[in-house]
Amino acid sequence: MSEPEINPWLIIAGVLGGALVIAPGLIWLERRLLALWQDRYGPNRAGPFGVLVVLADTLKLFFKEDWIPPFADKLVFVIAPAIVAITVLMSFVIIPIAPGFIVANFNIGILFFLAMSSMGAYSIILGGWASNNKYALLGSMRGAAQLISYEVFMGLSLMGVVLLTGSFRVEDIVNAQKDMWFVVPQFIGFVTFLIAGIAETHRLPFDIPEAESELIAGFHSEYSGMKFGLFFVGEYLGIMLISSLVTCLFFGGWLGPGFLPPIVWFLIKMFAFIFFFILLRASLPRPRYDQLMEFGWKILFPITLLNLMITAGIILYRSGAELNIKF
Amino acid sequence: MQVAFYIAALVAVISTIMVITRFNIIHALLYLVVSFMAMAVVFFILGAPFAAALEVIVYAGAIVVLIIFVIMMLNQKEEAVTQEKKWLTPMVYVGPAILSALMMGELVYIIYVGESHAVGQHVVDVKELGKTLYGPYILAVELGGMLLMAGIVGAYHLGRQKKKVIHRFLKEKED
């Protein structure tokens, strides 16, 4: 492909700026949409349609007292919220937003995302542990249990797509979907990855480590000010990350009819999934963490394995047919 | 590239030393994660991106989380540290020290004599790795698979519980 070379710094600034502007915007979007689905107004005072509520929220977070509890493990307590923001933002480097508009075109793109997502879980575990608080510790234990339940089948659910493309590079995967979106041949992979993605972002129904109705605020009970803000924004960045990954891996990324530029198609698809994430929050109850673990290991894990095996079998059969091998 | 390699190697060595000298076990584990990440960077620089990614996913991600999970479940306090200090007398160190000195000697010898690859000359991509694993090393892969299967069966056997819930009417009958 011969796209005009874009200055790499411009791409970095675009991705970083876009992610950091959209993520707080999602807070407003989520509150408005939840209000819509629950038959109330939601924030509608500051600015047109209440958009400025984001600004007010951010200002409030900045001016709050940033309190570190005396009983906490100070170093780990400070590091933990940084980890979530760093790992999620690092994952954005492998996402191609438009042809050529990608920060790092790794040949191990998907593996890089998986590595970063397993690192991201440390923010919850360490944050909860460093708070030295019963509720926070319970939250982080649940976070660790949740990680063990979804991580394995999240990786496996993506391998079907990798098999079909023959590459871990996300750009190759998008280009391989010119004829058909991978959601069709890999529907099971799509569903399982979406479930794993919801668990990965710790969104309802899988906000088990946070569970404000059971554990006050779970792992970030002791956090205040901008440290809490980082956890908060990290969650929305995670939603964006999973939505854009689903878009790239299963829904053809920037591909779409020519009357709109590729980046617009990408954003449309991404926002569709963000809406879906918010709708899930508005509609589903939360399972217990052992229920999630059982669901992950006893149902989804075998399903993803079967999906992988059948996909591999079909590909093998087809390549055998090309080479005129009789089975 | 060479400079990056030495920095990553230095970080790996320092963080590994920190792992074994920390008394706070969670801090030790944090350094262990840093050590794994530094190793991943070393792998990446040496031209093995797949191994680097797996190092982070499997070791730094999954395994250390499992260890942390167990440690949080056990929730050991200062008494455990003092007890362990009692166990670790200087005599305990002698055997491992001799053995690791032997290994160190061998390593120095290999670096001195053996031919080594220059940094970042040849990048092993995933396809090549797969062909090697499922070609000449197929036996090792199969054996590894069997070992894991045995582990899973063993864990299932240990974790299996007899059905405890008996209906209250049936219970009375048993008595």
Side-chain angles (χ1 to χ4, degrees):
Chain A
M1 295 245 275
S2 58
E3 284 92 26
E5 278 287 307
I6 313 171
N7 187 348
W9 289 105
L10 218 71
I11 299 178
I12 295 174
V15 172
L16 197 62
L20 288 178
V21 167
I22 294 177
L26 288 183
I27 299 170
W28 169 79
L29 185 74
E30 171 159 40
R31 289 175 65 180
R32 285 295 292 196
L33 281 176
L34 282 179
L36 181 75
W37 285 316
Q38 292 166 353
D39 259 356
R40 54 194 174 83
Y41 285 121
N44 64 350
R45 296 289 137 161
F49 300 105
V51 177
L52 292 183
V53 78
V54 176
L55 194 68
D57 260 351
T58 321
L59 279 177
K60 183 194 77 177
L61 278 178
F62 267 115
F63 286 109
K64 268 197 170 180
E65 186 189 357
D66 195 356
W67 188 65
I68 299 175
F71 44 81
D73 190 315
K74 288 197 180 55
L75 186 69
V76 182
F77 189 84
V78 174
I79 291 174
I83 293 175
V84 65
I86 290 171
T87 52
V88 177
L89 283 173
M90 285 282 275
S91 304
F92 272 103
V93 303
I94 58 145
I95 290 172
I97 293 165
F101 202 87
I102 178 170
V103 177
N105 207 351
F106 279 142
N107 59 352
I108 49 160
I110 288 183
L111 290 177
F112 186 78
F113 156 71
L114 290 174
M116 283 301 125
S117 93
S118 57
M119 288 286 99
Y122 279 111
S123 69
I124 286 180
I125 295 166
L126 294 176
W129 176 80
S131 301
N132 213 351
N133 163 323
K134 276 176 197 155
Y135 293 104
L137 189 67
L138 274 175
S140 63
M141 290 265 296
R142 289 178 177 197
Q146 184 165 335
L147 178 80
I148 301 166
S149 359
Y150 72 74
E151 204 185 23
V152 174
F153 75 82
M154 176 158 83
L156 281 174
S157 64
L158 293 178
M159 289 310 133
V161 171
V162 174
L163 268 179
L164 285 175
T165 318
S167 168
F168 281 106
R169 206 187 290 268
V170 184
E171 201 172 25
D172 291 348
I173 292 173
V174 174
N175 281 324
Q177 299 177 61
K178 282 223 166 82
D179 303 321
M180 183 168 51
W181 288 354
F182 278 154
V183 67
V184 181
Q186 282 295 316
F187 187 71
I188 297 169
F190 161 64
V191 173
T192 44
F193 178 68
L194 196 65
I195 294 172
I198 299 161
E200 214 268 318
T201 50
H202 306 288
R203 288 283 301 175
L204 267 157
F206 300 134
D207 68 337
I208 299 166
E210 195 178 327
E212 70 267 17
S213 47
E214 304 162 21
L215 295 181
I216 307 181
F219 63 94
H220 58 55
S221 299
E222 295 289 350
Y223 281 88
S224 60
M226 213 42 216
K227 290 200 187 70
F228 165 74
L230 269 183
F231 276 122
F232 201 46
V233 170
E235 186 181 315
Y236 287 95
L237 281 171
I239 298 174
M240 274 178 70
L241 177 70
I242 297 296
S243 305
S244 40
L245 260 176
V246 169
T247 306
C248 283
L249 300 178
F250 296 100
F251 286 84
W254 67 76
L255 298 171
F259 57 86
L260 282 175
I263 193 163
V264 176
W265 278 117
F266 179 85
L267 287 177
I268 288 174
K269 291 173 191 172
M270 188 185 87
F271 270 102
F273 281 103
I274 290 173
F275 277 41
F276 180 68
F277 266 82
I278 297 169
L279 181 61
L280 279 181
R281 172 169 181 183
S283 49
L284 288 180
R286 176 190 310 127
R288 280 197 324 261
Y289 78 96
D290 60 315
Q291 286 170 331
L292 174 66
M293 198 177 260
E294 214 155 275
F295 182 59
W297 279 101
K298 289 188 181 162
I299 299 174
L300 291 175
F301 179 60
I303 286 180
T304 45
L305 271 184
L306 262 182
N307 178 41
L308 188 64
M309 208 171 79
I310 292 170
T311 314
I314 290 174
I315 290 172
L316 193 67
Y317 181 76
R318 274 200 201 151
S319 61
E322 273 169 28
L323 299 169
N324 279 324
I325 299 170
K326 294 258 159 53
F327 282 96
Chain B
M1 272 310 217
Q2 208 113 44
V3 178
F5 172 81
Y6 283 119
I7 292 172
L10 194 70
V11 171
V13 171
I14 291 173
S15 55
T16 313
I17 291 172
M18 296 298 262
V19 172
I20 43 181
T21 51
R22 292 307 90 184
F23 284 119
N24 187 329
I25 196 156
I26 298 275
H27 287 184
L29 276 170
L30 260 179
Y31 279 113
L32 187 64
V33 174
V34 175
S35 160
F36 282 136
M37 303 255 266
M39 280 311 292
V41 174
V42 168
F43 278 137
F44 200 89
I45 293 169
L46 287 177
F50 190 73
L54 283 194
E55 174 97 16
V56 177
I57 295 172
V58 176
Y59 287 96
I63 289 181
V64 178
V65 167
L66 272 178
I67 299 174
I68 286 186
F69 190 65
V70 171
I71 285 168
M72 283 178 172
M73 294 261 268
L74 297 179
N75 196 17
Q76 297 205 318
K77 294 274 161 56
E78 280 79 28
E79 304 98 66
V81 175
T82 47
Q83 195 176 26
E84 246 171 59
K85 270 186 191 158
K86 258 185 242 161
W87 287 339
L88 287 175
T89 50
M91 283 306 285
V92 179
Y93 290 108
V94 174
I98 293 172
L99 291 177
S100 18
L102 277 176
M103 295 289 289
M104 187 73 188
E106 276 192 348
L107 194 68
V108 170
Y109 178 73
I110 290 168
I111 292 172
Y112 221 69
V113 181
E115 46 190 298
S116 56
H117 298 284
V119 170
Q121 267 191 346
H122 176 65
V123 176
V124 184
D125 66 345
V126 184
K127 201 171 266 177
E128 203 177 326
L129 188 82
K131 274 181 181 162
T132 323
L133 271 184
Y134 286 92
Y137 293 106
I138 181 75
L139 195 67
V141 173
E142 294 276 330
L143 283 175
M146 268 180 217
L147 186 67
L148 287 178
M149 193 66 206
I152 289 172
V153 172
Y156 177 75
H157 182 73
L158 288 177
R160 197 176 54 153
Q161 288 176 333
K162 289 213 178 82
K163 220 175 181 184
K164 274 182 194 149
V165 186
I166 304 169
H167 196 272
R168 56 184 188 280
F169 295 138
L170 295 174
K171 220 176 201 173
E172 274 171 25
K173 247 182 205 170
E174 263 179 26
D175 293 337

